[in-house]
Amino acid sequence: ASQAKINNAIDFASFENIQARGNAALRKGVVGDHRVYLTPEHWEAMVRKTLLNLIQYPQLRSVCHRLVQDTPNALRILS
């Protein structure tokens, strides 16, 4: 991605701009809250896609291991 696209994405995701779009865009994150919104199958699919993107960066390996705590089947990606 070009630097301009990256800067636009950062600007779009800034707290100020999210807040300006209204409260519907804000959500209080609570540990484990994904279980309320996602089925186990949806969560596993999301974890798998995330792992496939992150696993290529050695410095993010610990993040990958934390992601699979609730998704043991995703461990196959880390092996």
Side-chain angles (χ1 to χ4, degrees):
S2 70
Q3 191 60 47
K5 282 186 178 184
I6 292 170
N7 291 341
N8 284 340
I10 291 169
D11 185 52
F12 180 80
S14 73
F15 182 77
E16 293 80 17
N17 285 332
I18 290 173
Q19 195 173 29
R21 290 193 294 267
N23 288 338
L26 296 175
R27 183 183 163 280
K28 180 180 178 186
V30 177
V31 174
D33 198 30
H34 65 276
R35 292 180 191 99
V36 175
Y37 299 96
L38 301 172
T39 66
E41 293 80 17
H42 288 135
W43 179 246
E44 184 170 337
M46 195 165 84
V47 167
R48 290 177 72 75
K49 284 184 179 230
T50 302
L51 286 175
L52 288 171
N53 286 317
L54 295 180
I55 200 71
Q56 60 188 318
Y57 302 102
Q59 65 271 30
L60 296 177
R61 202 145 173 90
S62 63
V63 173
C64 295
H65 284 282
R66 276 186 262 140
L67 272 175
V68 298
Q69 288 177 350
D70 289 339
T71 316
N73 290 336
L75 280 171
R76 289 183 297 234
I77 293 172
L78 296 177
S79 335

